[in-house]
Amino acid sequence: MAESKELQISVQELELGMHVVRLDREWIETDFLMQGFVITSWDDIEALQRQCEYVFVEAKIVNSPPPPPPATRERRREKQGLFARVTRRKTEYASSPSSSASRKPIGTASPPPTQHKVAYINKINVQSELPKAENTYTSAKGTVKSILNGIRLGRMIDMNQARETVNTVVDSVLRNKDALAWLTKIKEKDDYTAEHSLNVCILATTFARHLGHDESDIRKIALSGLLHDVGKSRIPDDILNKEGRFTDEEFQIMKMHTTYGRDLLMTMTSEDRIAIDVAHSHHERVDGRGYPRQLKEHQIPYFAKIVALADCYDAITSHRCYDSGRASMEALDIIYKCRGSQFDEELALEFIKCIGIYPPGSIVQMSNGEVAIVLATDENNKLKPKVLMVLDAQKQTCRERVVDLNRNALDRNEQPYAIAHELANGSYGVDLREYLNKGLVLKGANDDELLTDM
Amino acid sequence: MATEDTGDSFGFTEKRELPRLLCPPAFSNSLLEIGGAQYEADSINFNRNGLGIFVNGRLPNVDGGMVSFQFEREDRQLIEITGLPFELVYSNETEVGSQYGLKFETGGVSDDVKEALREIEIELGRQATMNRYGL
């Protein structure tokens, strides 16, 4: 298995094409804008020779292959449980060195770069924004596909087109944070990379709004989210769309998309250059075990930490060519458990708050067995969203009606409605796309009645 | 609890007989032993029948192995389970990390191991709140 390692070399030995990942001094002490770059000209080499004595370049090393599966007899003994033991003892302090109980306390992550938090409010309700959001989503997905296909054909990325797409997404999220988020829940198995890129853009934008960034930063984060996986357009189709398990070599090639993305975006204008860092660094981990550069926590760009969360959430909940997506809660469980190791701790908790346990578009089973779709969440009580009841307790189609759980609504048995658990899209035949295609029409100003336009 | 069947229009069917309970900080990371090599994984969720884990990178392509983990009860008693055989029943390997479902193979294990698994599940169930992440 090949993996990337840093190799220290003298600046006199530098050659074109080498990927410089670290210098013999801090980057901020030099003239280089990028913290890591591929040498593309003799000017680059001369600049390095002027300012450094040695640098670290990325090198490929080959590890011994993973150990083979256990011998049949050994595996048989394992399966019989002959090695299984339980021991009990009293502890003074939390368990083992590897226990997550030894995690550092919350509150040590780097503060966001913005000093003044902006408090956003929804300018229009989700039902009013949804038709516009649907147009935005369809058009944006087409643009992302066009960008990715263009790269495959050797074209440059049309940054104006990308920025226009980002602006329509950001404008929608600023008008109402739930409408586009709703649409990210409808997952297709085809066009995973394009759809995922757009979903990450939307989720990162929604998260940036939640964090209170100003509009300018939100647009940069949105662009970074849209282009974070652009390097996948350099991955061969037969690997990208493979239905079975990747071989170790294919898995390593897939991981190259971060470096390919950085290379593709190197021509961006200065105000968009943060997207280069994000494309290169969105798989770095705060424990230093990420890729491609194994950056330490303080070396990972803040915007890359934001996009990494949106990326993980959408990757886990998406349908791939080889698998169905998982429920939102499974992705949130992973983010929660990997806070402080894979993800920035504070940002991970904020992301969970932003998404909410039951985000818009979730299909949920109520404690009385009825099934509903979450329409919108209440900032102050995310456990009690506004839902559209679609199936009765026997899982039969019922008259659709909106129930605001925050208003302590009662069911037919005069019991308070409560959500029991989330279901994956498609459960009991409830398909979000069908509901969207029907066109949700709100009747009445108080949002109490909502019917589908059949 | 009966197996929950939730239809299948997207190829998704809930197969778990019991809900998985989020592993709190008192539940250690898991140590997997596969083919003589050891792999550390984040323990995500648990019930007496199995464990959801998340791995940086991915595991070898095998059908099972042995898993060890610890759980510290609120009274500070540490329950340590080692060498528990498992079958790998689910895997979702992505660029952001890999998610696996382990089903414990308890057919041949001693009663005290089974009892410990039940005890951990009951304790996690007792600790679980409506507000899953305490936020």
Side-chain angles (χ1 to χ4, degrees):
Chain A
M1 190 193 310
E3 76 178 48
S4 298
K5 288 285 176 195
E6 290 179 5
L7 181 69
Q8 179 183 330
I9 65 167
S10 159
V11 288
Q12 305 307 323
E13 298 173 271
L14 289 171
E15 292 174 15
L16 293 177
M18 282 183 168
H19 176 198
V20 180
V21 292
R22 204 148 57 87
L23 307 179
D24 59 357
R25 62 205 67 208
E26 295 294 324
W27 288 98
I28 53 172
E29 295 171 26
T30 68
D31 297 335
F32 299 107
L33 293 174
M34 302 302 302
Q35 298 195 1
F37 59 92
V38 174
I39 297 173
T40 54
S41 68
W42 290 107
D43 290 345
D44 290 342
I45 292 177
E46 282 171 17
L48 284 163
Q49 288 174 341
R50 267 198 318 274
Q51 298 177 65
C52 305
E53 292 176 6
Y54 60 90
V55 299
F56 295 86
V57 297
E58 197 176 71
K60 296 272 180 288
I61 63 164
V62 177
N63 291 335
S64 52
T72 309
R73 187 191 299 172
E74 190 75 358
R75 174 75 187 118
R76 200 176 302 132
R77 290 181 69 204
E78 282 180 11
K79 284 167 77 86
Q80 286 169 351
L82 297 179
F83 304 120
R85 296 279 182 278
V86 57
T87 53
R88 294 165 186 266
R89 63 176 186 271
K90 206 82 172 175
T91 61
E92 283 297 317
Y93 301 102
S95 55
S96 70
S98 64
S99 166
S100 5
S102 58
R103 210 184 284 285
K104 66 181 179 180
I106 293 168
T108 54
S110 304
T114 48
Q115 294 296 314
H116 305 291
K117 284 185 77 170
V118 182
Y120 294 95
I121 55 165
N122 286 337
K123 294 169 185 163
I124 58 177
N125 66 27
V126 65
Q127 287 85 5
S128 303
E129 179 60 23
L130 206 48
K132 291 179 209 161
E134 193 181 5
N135 286 339
T136 297
Y137 193 92
T138 305
S139 157
K141 191 171 163 184
T143 302
V144 179
K145 279 167 75 173
S146 157
I147 289 172
L148 295 175
N149 289 336
I151 295 168
R152 287 178 189 283
L153 296 171
R155 287 203 291 265
M156 298 279 284
I157 300 171
D158 184 342
M159 287 309 300
N160 288 331
Q161 198 183 20
R163 269 189 228 100
E164 273 174 31
T165 298
V166 159
N167 286 338
T168 58
V169 167
V170 173
D171 292 345
S172 175
V173 171
L174 292 181
R175 282 193 299 270
N176 185 288
K177 66 179 176 52
D178 292 322
L180 274 175
W182 214 98
L183 297 174
T184 65
K185 304 284 289 183
I186 300 167
K187 314 282 191 183
E188 305 282 357
K189 278 194 176 178
D190 298 333
D191 301 324
Y192 168 74
T193 304
E195 187 174 278
H196 171 69
S197 298
L198 178 56
N199 288 348
V200 170
C201 170
I202 292 166
L203 291 165
T205 304
T206 308
F207 186 33
R209 176 190 143 137
H210 168 87
L211 291 170
H213 285 283
D214 61 30
E215 264 193 61
S216 163
D217 276 353
I218 291 177
R219 288 180 202 280
K220 285 179 192 163
I221 290 167
L223 184 68
S224 302
L226 190 77
L227 299 176
H228 80 288
D229 264 352
V230 77
K232 282 189 179 168
S233 55
R234 287 264 176 92
I235 305 288
D237 274 344
D238 57 338
I239 296 178
L240 205 57
N241 301 321
K242 184 174 177 179
E243 293 196 2
R245 187 180 195 260
F246 289 134
T247 64
D248 287 338
E249 189 184 4
E250 289 166 342
F251 199 63
Q252 293 305 316
I253 291 171
M254 277 298 286
K255 287 165 80 171
M256 291 294 290
H257 76 275
T258 52
T259 307
Y260 293 151
R262 185 271 322 270
D263 296 347
L264 282 165
L265 295 171
M266 287 292 273
T267 55
M268 293 175 89
T269 55
S270 58
E271 70 264 28
D272 297 326
R273 289 183 82 88
I274 184 63
I276 305 173
D277 270 347
V278 172
H280 200 198
S281 311
H282 68 277
H283 286 303
E284 299 290 351
R285 296 165 50 107
V286 298
D287 62 7
R289 297 193 300 137
Y291 66 90
R293 291 180 287 171
Q294 295 86 46
L295 296 180
K296 294 184 175 66
E297 179 173 11
H298 68 278
Q299 296 173 309
I300 304 172
Y302 173 75
F303 286 2
K305 291 176 180 173
I306 288 180
V307 170
L309 285 157
D311 183 32
C312 176
Y313 178 81
D314 191 70
I316 298 293
T317 55
S318 288
H319 297 298
R320 305 280 189 114
C321 46
Y322 52 82
D323 190 28
S324 300
R326 314 304 294 175
S328 170
M329 194 177 283
E330 293 205 30
L332 294 184
D333 280 357
I334 287 168
I335 287 170
Y336 182 76
K337 288 295 298 181
C338 297
R339 70 193 196 283
S341 55
Q342 182 160 351
F343 306 108
D344 180 283
E345 183 145 16
E346 276 186 15
L347 286 176
L349 295 174
E350 283 300 329
F351 185 80
I352 293 168
K353 277 191 210 170
C354 169
I355 295 294
I357 294 181
Y358 305 115
S362 302
I363 297 171
V364 290
Q365 180 159 318
M366 313 303 289
S367 50
N368 67 358
E370 292 179 54
V371 175
I373 299 172
V374 176
L375 290 178
T377 49
D378 184 324
E379 273 300 317
N380 300 315
N381 195 347
K382 295 207 168 190
L383 294 172
K384 293 186 173 182
K386 190 180 288 186
V387 301
L388 174 68
M389 309 303 297
V390 292
L391 300 181
D392 64 19
Q394 286 70 47
K395 310 296 183 285
Q396 301 300 309
T397 307
C398 65
R399 179 178 171 277
E400 290 162 5
R401 66 192 192 285
V402 173
V403 173
D404 187 347
L405 301 181
N406 209 21
R407 291 187 193 171
N408 298 317
L410 301 177
D411 66 15
R412 284 180 187 166
N413 300 319
E414 299 293 307
Q415 297 298 311
Y417 269 118
I419 295 174
H421 55 88
E422 189 194 352
L423 301 167
N425 187 23
S427 303
Y428 301 116
V430 179
D431 177 1
L432 287 173
R433 176 164 291 287
E434 275 181 25
Y435 279 87
L436 191 69
N437 289 343
K438 284 185 205 172
L440 295 171
V441 179
L442 188 66
K443 286 193 174 179
N446 59 3
D447 292 7
D448 278 346
E449 194 179 5
L450 185 134
L451 301 172
T452 49
D453 186 15
M454 303 291 287
Chain B
M1 188 189 282
T3 302
E4 189 181 15
D5 181 1
T6 58
D8 198 17
S9 74
F10 273 78
F12 177 86
T13 304
E14 179 61 63
K15 300 185 185 75
R16 292 176 197 152
E17 292 178 358
L18 298 163
R20 288 261 175 91
L21 300 154
L22 181 66
C23 296
F27 198 112
S28 74
N29 289 350
S30 295
L31 193 66
L32 307 174
E33 202 173 316
I34 297 172
Q38 293 188 326
Y39 303 84
E40 191 176 2
D42 282 293
S43 310
I44 305 296
N45 45 40
F46 171 92
N47 65 34
R48 75 184 72 170
N49 295 335
L51 178 67
I53 60 167
F54 193 70
V55 176
N56 180 24
R58 61 183 194 159
L59 297 174
N61 189 18
V62 294
D63 59 1
M66 292 194 296
V67 61
S68 303
F69 50 84
Q70 299 173 346
F71 175 70
E72 188 181 5
R73 293 187 347 183
E74 281 184 337
D75 64 2
R76 295 225 181 270
Q77 188 181 81
L78 190 71
I79 303 173
E80 186 173 359
I81 291 180
T82 54
L84 180 62
F86 69 83
E87 181 190 355
L88 207 60
V89 291
Y90 171 75
S91 69
N92 181 22
E93 296 174 345
T94 77
E95 313 87 80
V96 300
S98 301
Q99 185 187 11
Y100 297 96
L102 316 183
K103 183 182 176 192
F104 302 140
E105 295 179 319
T106 52
V109 304
S110 60
D111 287 344
D112 60 341
V113 173
K114 291 179 192 167
E115 178 53 34
L117 292 172
R118 271 195 296 272
E119 192 179 329
I120 293 171
E121 180 188 276
I122 290 166
E123 185 82 6
L124 290 180
R126 203 175 54 72
Q127 290 177 17
T129 63
M130 278 289 286
N131 194 350
R132 191 171 177 90
Y133 308 107
L135 299 174

